[in-house]
Amino acid sequence: ELPSTIPRPEERGITVQQLRELRLFLQRLCKTGLLRKDDKAINWHMLNQYHISELVLVPVISHLHFKQQLEGPPRRSWVEMVAAGPQKPQILMSHSWGGYFRDFMAVIDKVVADRGCSPLTPIWVCTFANSQFGENFGPTLEESPFFRAISVAEGTVLVVDREAGSLTRIWCGLELHFTDKLQKDLQVYTPSGRIGSQLVTSGPLVEAIAGWDVT
C-alpha cells in the first residue's frame, strides 16, 4: 500500500494509537539491539527523538520510498507513512527532542487519561508531522507548520522533561507565544503529571517553570 500525501503539515497529527504502536516498535528495536549509535546499542530508557529521527524515521522512510519505487527523493513525514489521509490535531505537543521518549510517552498517556481522549485522537508532534528530509517552513513565522498547527489545534501541551530542556528551546518559547497570541489553551506537564494537579505541586521542575521567562 502506497503512503498518503498530506500537503498541509498542520493536518499531520499522529493518533494516540499510532504513537503507542510506534512506542512498541521502538521498544522491540531497543530490546533486540538493532538501534545503535556510534556502534553502541541504545537502551530504551535513554532513547530520545534525535535518535528516532536519525536511526528510525529517515532510514525506514527512505527504504520504503525506494522499495515502492516512488518518484524523486524521499520527502514524506512519518505521519504520511502511517495515516490514510489528513488527521487534524486536537493538541499540539511542545517539547525538547533531547528528552527521553519514554517520558514523552508518559506525558501522552497522562494527557489522554486527563482529557478522556480516544485512541483515534490526533496529536501534533513536530518530529512525526514535519518531513525529516526538509520541511517547507514558509517565508514568515506565521506560515510555519508550528503556527499553522497551533491555529487548528484546541490547545498546546508543554512537556517539561527531566532536564527541563524544553525551557531552553527557542521553538518551545515561540510555540507558547503563538499559543498565547491565538488565545489557545495551554497546559504544562512533566512525566509525573500536569503542573498544578495534586500529583505535581512542587519539585525542581516546578521551580524551573516558575522561573521561566519567555519574553
Side-chain angles (χ1 to χ4, degrees):
E1 184 178 349
L2 294 177
S4 64
T5 299
I6 306 174
R8 296 178 178 274
E10 68 271 24
E11 294 181 344
R12 299 181 197 150
I14 185 168
T15 68
V16 173
Q17 179 177 332
Q18 289 163 349
L19 274 172
R20 289 173 173 169
E21 289 171 350
L22 176 61
R23 171 171 57 187
L24 181 60
F25 175 56
L26 294 170
Q27 287 173 330
R28 289 173 174 170
L29 289 178
C30 290
K31 185 176 181 178
T32 56
L34 291 176
L35 280 189
R36 306 184 70 85
K37 177 75 173 176
D38 299 326
D39 204 32
K40 295 181 180 179
I42 299 175
N43 185 285
W44 162 249
H45 296 286
M46 303 299 292
L47 184 71
N48 62 42
Q49 294 190 40
Y50 288 110
H51 295 139
I52 294 170
S53 175
E54 177 186 354
L55 303 177
V56 179
L57 305 190
V58 170
V60 169
I61 293 171
S62 296
H63 171 75
L64 293 175
H65 178 90
F66 293 115
K67 182 179 180 180
Q68 295 170 341
Q69 299 181 333
L70 301 176
E71 294 183 1
R75 60 184 179 275
R76 283 179 170 80
S77 65
W78 182 257
V79 169
E80 291 172 290
M81 305 303 292
V82 300
Q87 298 182 154
K88 182 180 175 181
Q90 291 187 18
I91 306 165
L92 177 136
M93 305 300 290
S94 182
H95 61 98
S96 167
W97 279 29
Y100 299 140
F101 187 65
R102 65 186 175 99
D103 288 344
F104 178 84
M105 287 304 301
V107 170
I108 291 290
D109 290 337
K110 287 179 171 59
V111 169
V112 168
D114 290 348
R115 293 180 176 233
C117 300
S118 82
L120 300 180
T121 298
I123 298 173
W124 203 86
V125 183
C126 64
T127 318
F128 310 119
N130 290 332
S131 169
Q132 298 305 298
F133 303 92
E135 186 63 66
N136 180 8
F137 278 24
T140 67
L141 290 175
E142 283 74 15
E143 295 174 78
S144 69
F146 306 92
F147 184 89
R148 291 162 62 178
I150 293 169
S151 297
V152 301
E154 296 175 2
T156 297
V157 170
L158 173 66
V159 180
V160 182
D161 53 277
R162 293 169 187 254
E163 304 299 325
S166 57
L167 304 187
T168 68
R169 302 294 295 174
I170 292 176
W171 276 110
C172 290
L174 188 64
E175 287 162 350
L176 265 62
H177 169 72
F178 288 156
T179 299
D180 179 67
K181 180 177 180 179
L182 294 170
Q183 298 183 320
K184 299 284 184 166
D185 178 62
L186 172 65
Q187 294 185 339
V188 182
Y189 275 75
T190 75
S192 298
R194 182 173 59 85
I195 297 291
S197 69
Q198 292 183 348
L199 293 175
V200 188
T201 57
S202 63
L205 291 184
V206 176
E207 294 172 4
I209 293 166
W212 192 37
D213 183 3
V214 296
T215 59

